[in-house]
């Protein structure tokens, strides 16, 4: 009886399979992204220096910035991922506040204190920058091809930007070799803010209308004299558009079990109003005029000066096109299970005469199964742009001029140390959130021209366990 039952069971099973068509072509595919991932980032940045561009190349560069950011990656299916980024940057800037350095204390009343070295409470002293980006990527069935598109926007009180782009990556040689290309376009628009004394010849400022102007000797001048101070050009901003176009290429090759090399090449073009209308320029071949305490004029360049201000000759003016050519090489070497050496070299040149070289070394050190210590050092060297000159050193006969020390020649060193916790087995959970990693990093940045900065970044990544927006 048992033999009959067994034969009957086999018959039923075989017959059942024969009645249903079996799809032998269907192959299981692992998702590109298994579940929703959320990455929370925050950075704190503080800097100080003595070459503020808003006040013509001298003055306090004190700036504080806090930037929280969220990144959400959503698997739409096995092949497609949607990524959403949003960030807010809230900053205060001593130099930006000096667009209008004459602090109001009442209707028509001003403190007789204005200096590049004194932080003004002007409207541009603080601002909030908001940005958002949405990107979509698709991977082929064999995972050898990835293409994607993205769109983004950013806005602050005097500037707005929209952008879009696309990218494509191809893997060869069993994924040991890859080639990628990316294109992006940014369409930006200024809402020009210019120094108060240059707006309509200073007549927009009640303080400037009602105060005396002094020459370099501290002698009050006749404002109606033909040789008295007045803006060098009446027309300040001729365009409020700035467009940027970038085409990037990348190539990577695994050289051995322990080493990998990658190369990048970018071609970037900018067109439109590329000057910053907030930044003052002073001419060496023009007489200087001041407002405030005439007794302090002789000490104007000293950081202790707090009650005299140099009236600007003009705003920064730069060519309406810029071509940038950065080239980079990265080489990573796996030394052992505890240490990896990551190195990078980068060369940059543009048609403004600026060139730079960057060298960076990062050494992730695995100190335990879950903790990694990451010391890093970055060296940067830059030559000055053709149109740069320091405070009161530009000439009015030039077509283009700037005293922005970001375009000056300098060297910089950055020292960083980070610690990363990776929860490999997702031991830590909050409801449906599985912790992936936490990272804290501190960096100190130091320029040869006196600018220095402290940067603290914090990031943490979570995965939403078994939660999908799309099946």
């Amino acid at each position: 009886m048992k033999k009959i039952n067994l034969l009957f069971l086999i018959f039923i099973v075989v017959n059942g399979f024969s009645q249903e068509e079996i799809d032998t072509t269907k192959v299981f595919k692992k998702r590109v992204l298994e579940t929703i991932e959320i990455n929370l980032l925050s950075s704190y940045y503080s800097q100080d220096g003595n070459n503020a561009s808003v006040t013509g190349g001298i003055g306090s560069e004190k700036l504080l910035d806090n930037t929280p950011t969220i990144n959400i990656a959503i698997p739409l299916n096995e092949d497609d991922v949607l990524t959403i980024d949003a960030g807010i940057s809230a900053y205060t800037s001593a130099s930006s506040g000096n667009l209008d350095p004459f602090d109001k204390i009442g209707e028509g009343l001003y403190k007789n204190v204005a200096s590049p070295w004194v932080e003004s409470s002007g409207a541009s002293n603080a601002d909030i920058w908001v940005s958002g980006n949405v990107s979509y990527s698709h991977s082929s069935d064999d995972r050898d091809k990835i293409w994607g598109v993205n769109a983004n926007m950013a806005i602050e009180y005097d500037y707005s930007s929209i952008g879009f782009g696309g990218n494509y990556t191809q893997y060869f040689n069993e994924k040991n070799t890859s080639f990628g290309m990316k294109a992006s376009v940014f369409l930006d628009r200024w809402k020009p803010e210019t120094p108060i004394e240059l707006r309509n010849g200073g007549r927009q400022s009640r303080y400037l209308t009602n105060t005396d102007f002094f020459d370099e000797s501290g002698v009050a001048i006749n404002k109606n004299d033909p040789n008295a101070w007045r803006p060098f050009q009446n027309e300040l901003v001729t365009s409020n558009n700035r467009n940027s176009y970038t085409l990037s290429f990348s190539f990577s090759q695994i050289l051995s079990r322990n080493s990998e090399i990658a190369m990048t090449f970018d071609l970037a073009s900018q067109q439109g109003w590329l000057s910053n209308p907030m930044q003052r320029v002073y001419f060496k071949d023009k007489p200087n005029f001041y407002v405030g305490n005439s007794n302090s004029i002789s000490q104007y360049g000293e950081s202790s000066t707090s009650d005299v201000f140099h009236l600007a000759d003009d705003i920064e003016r730069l060519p309406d096109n810029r071509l940038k050519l950065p080239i980079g090489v990265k080489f990573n070497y796996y030394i052992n299970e505890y240490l990896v050496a990551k190195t990078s070299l980068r060369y940059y040149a543009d048609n403004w005469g600026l060139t730079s070289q960057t060298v960076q070394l990062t050494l992730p050190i695995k100190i335990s199964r879950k903790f990694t210590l990451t010391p890093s050092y970055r060296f940067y060297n830059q030559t000055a742009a053709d149109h740069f000159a320091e405070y009161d050193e530009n000439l009015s006969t030039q077509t283009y001029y700037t005293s922005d020390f970001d375009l000056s020649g300098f060297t910089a060193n950055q020292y960083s140390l980070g610690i990363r916790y990776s929860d490999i087995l997702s031991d830590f959970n909050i409801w449906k959130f599985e912790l992936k990693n936490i990272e804290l990093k501190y960096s100190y940045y130091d320029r040869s021209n006196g600018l220095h900065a402290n940067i603290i970044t914090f990031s943490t990544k979570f995965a939403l366990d078994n939660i999908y927006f799309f099946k």
Side-chain angles (χ1 to χ4, degrees):
M1 186 67 181
K2 289 182 179 179
K3 290 183 179 180
I4 295 175
N5 288 340
L6 181 59
L7 290 172
F8 181 76
L9 180 60
I10 294 172
F11 172 80
I12 294 296
V13 173
V14 173
N15 187 64
F17 274 109
S18 66
Q19 299 300 316
E20 182 179 339
E21 182 180 354
I22 301 176
D23 185 2
T24 59
T25 63
K26 188 172 182 179
V27 179
F28 172 77
K29 285 196 302 183
K30 183 179 175 67
R31 284 176 175 261
V32 175
L33 182 66
E34 288 297 322
T35 186
I36 300 169
E37 292 185 349
I38 299 177
N39 197 7
L40 303 176
L41 305 96
S42 180
S43 69
Y44 171 80
Y45 176 90
S46 67
Q47 74 168 40
D48 205 352
N50 299 318
N51 301 116
S53 54
V54 172
T55 43
I58 63 169
S60 173
E61 293 180 271
K62 185 177 180 181
L63 184 145
L64 299 175
D65 181 90
N66 289 285
T67 307
T69 305
I70 184 171
N71 172 282
I72 304 175
I74 306 169
L76 304 180
N77 50 47
E78 291 89 347
D79 305 324
D80 304 323
V81 176
L82 179 70
T83 304
I84 302 171
D85 294 277
I88 298 175
S89 174
Y91 70 87
T92 60
S93 170
S95 63
S96 293
N98 278 322
L99 273 179
D100 184 357
F102 312 111
D103 292 337
K104 299 178 182 179
I105 59 176
E107 184 61 32
L109 299 175
Y110 294 81
K111 290 186 294 184
N112 191 27
V113 175
S115 167
W117 309 101
V118 176
E119 184 172 355
S120 170
S121 60
S124 55
N125 170 266
D127 192 23
I128 293 178
W129 172 84
V130 180
S131 68
N133 181 78
V134 177
S135 61
Y136 165 84
S137 67
H138 172 81
S139 298
S140 61
D141 290 339
D142 58 10
R143 304 298 187 247
D144 283 344
K145 305 177 187 66
I146 303 173
W147 64 265
V149 293
N150 70 281
N152 52 71
M153 60 78 64
I155 189 169
E156 55 184 315
Y157 86 102
D158 67 336
Y159 201 76
S160 62
S161 174
I162 60 171
F164 52 89
N167 59 83
Y168 177 79
T169 302
Q170 173 76 61
Y171 291 93
F172 306 93
N173 189 23
E174 297 182 346
K175 294 186 170 60
N176 289 317
T177 308
S178 73
F179 172 79
M181 60 184 302
K182 180 180 179 180
S184 60
V185 176
F186 292 93
L187 306 176
D188 305 342
R189 182 177 291 270
W190 286 101
K191 298 175 184 176
E193 292 284 342
T194 55
I196 187 68
E197 69 268 32
L198 298 179
R199 302 174 199 170
N200 195 25
R203 288 187 289 274
Q204 288 190 1
S205 170
R206 189 174 299 180
Y207 172 80
L208 292 176
T209 301
N210 297 326
T211 194
D212 290 328
F213 292 176
F214 301 97
D215 62 18
E216 279 188 298
S217 301
V219 177
I221 66 168
N222 178 3
K223 293 182 182 180
N224 297 318
D225 189 290
N227 296 319
W229 174 85
R230 56 183 43 82
F232 180 64
Q233 296 191 43
N234 293 324
E235 190 173 43
L236 295 179
V237 181
T238 58
S239 171
N240 58 0
N241 295 321
R242 170 187 290 180
N243 301 330
S244 302
Y245 311 92
T246 304
L247 186 61
S248 304
F249 301 93
S250 63
F251 172 82
S252 69
Q253 176 65 52
I254 296 177
L255 303 176
S256 69
R257 294 179 58 185
N258 293 15
S259 59
E260 178 186 16
I261 191 170
M263 292 174 282
T264 60
F265 172 76
D266 297 339
L267 178 62
S269 174
Q270 290 184 296
Q271 300 173 5
W273 188 262
L274 305 186
S275 309
N276 188 334
M278 298 173 66
Q279 297 179 175
R280 291 175 172 87
V281 168
Y282 299 94
F283 294 132
K284 184 179 181 179
D285 57 342
K286 292 287 185 181
N288 296 324
F289 296 97
Y290 304 82
V291 293
N293 182 1
S294 60
N295 294 323
S296 299
I297 292 175
S298 60
Q299 292 88 39
Y300 185 73
E302 299 176 9
S303 59
S304 58
T305 307
S306 61
D307 55 4
V308 64
F309 198 86
H310 188 176
L311 298 172
D313 291 317
D314 201 2
I315 59 172
E316 171 186 84
R317 296 184 187 272
L318 293 168
D320 60 4
N321 68 85
R322 189 178 188 183
L323 184 64
K324 304 178 180 181
L325 297 170
I327 301 172
V329 178
K330 294 182 179 181
F331 178 75
N332 299 335
Y333 188 80
Y334 175 86
I335 299 172
N336 54 44
E337 60 179 312
Y338 302 106
L339 181 62
V340 177
K342 297 183 176 182
T343 63
S344 66
L345 302 172
R346 183 178 183 268
Y347 175 79
Y348 168 92
D350 64 29
N351 63 340
W352 287 5
L354 192 151
T355 63
S356 70
Q357 302 82 37
T358 308
V359 181
Q360 183 165 336
L361 172 64
T362 304
L363 296 171
I365 305 170
K366 196 175 181 70
I367 57 178
S368 74
R369 186 170 64 94
K370 293 185 176 182
F371 286 93
T372 302
L373 200 64
T374 310
S376 178
Y377 170 71
R378 178 179 179 268
F379 173 79
Y380 179 82
N381 179 66
Q382 173 178 301
T383 63
D386 295 336
H387 318 300
F388 171 81
E390 296 188 14
Y391 165 73
D392 209 22
E393 291 294 326
N394 281 289
L395 299 175
S396 62
T397 54
Q398 299 169 212
T399 304
Y400 305 114
Y401 32 80
T402 178
S403 292
D404 183 352
F405 271 71
D406 286 344
L407 297 175
S408 70
F410 62 86
T411 60
N413 296 279
Q414 181 170 307
Y415 310 89
S416 304
L417 181 63
I419 185 166
R420 180 184 180 93
Y421 170 81
S422 299
D423 195 354
I424 302 171
L425 301 177
S426 299
D427 296 331
F428 182 80
N429 293 271
I430 301 177
W431 187 58
K432 296 289 186 178
F433 293 85
E434 293 182 351
L435 177 66
K436 291 294 185 181
N437 58 65
I438 299 176
E439 185 170 8
L440 179 65
K441 182 179 179 181
Y442 169 76
S443 300
Y444 177 73
Y445 176 80
D446 183 46
R447 275 190 191 178
S448 57
N449 56 28
L451 179 72
H452 57 272
N454 296 279
I455 309 109
I456 299 173
T457 58
F458 173 80
S459 67
T460 180
K461 180 181 285 187
F462 290 92
L464 273 66
D465 185 26
N466 296 323
I467 295 180
Y468 303 97
F469 286 175
F470 301 90
K471 295 292 185 181

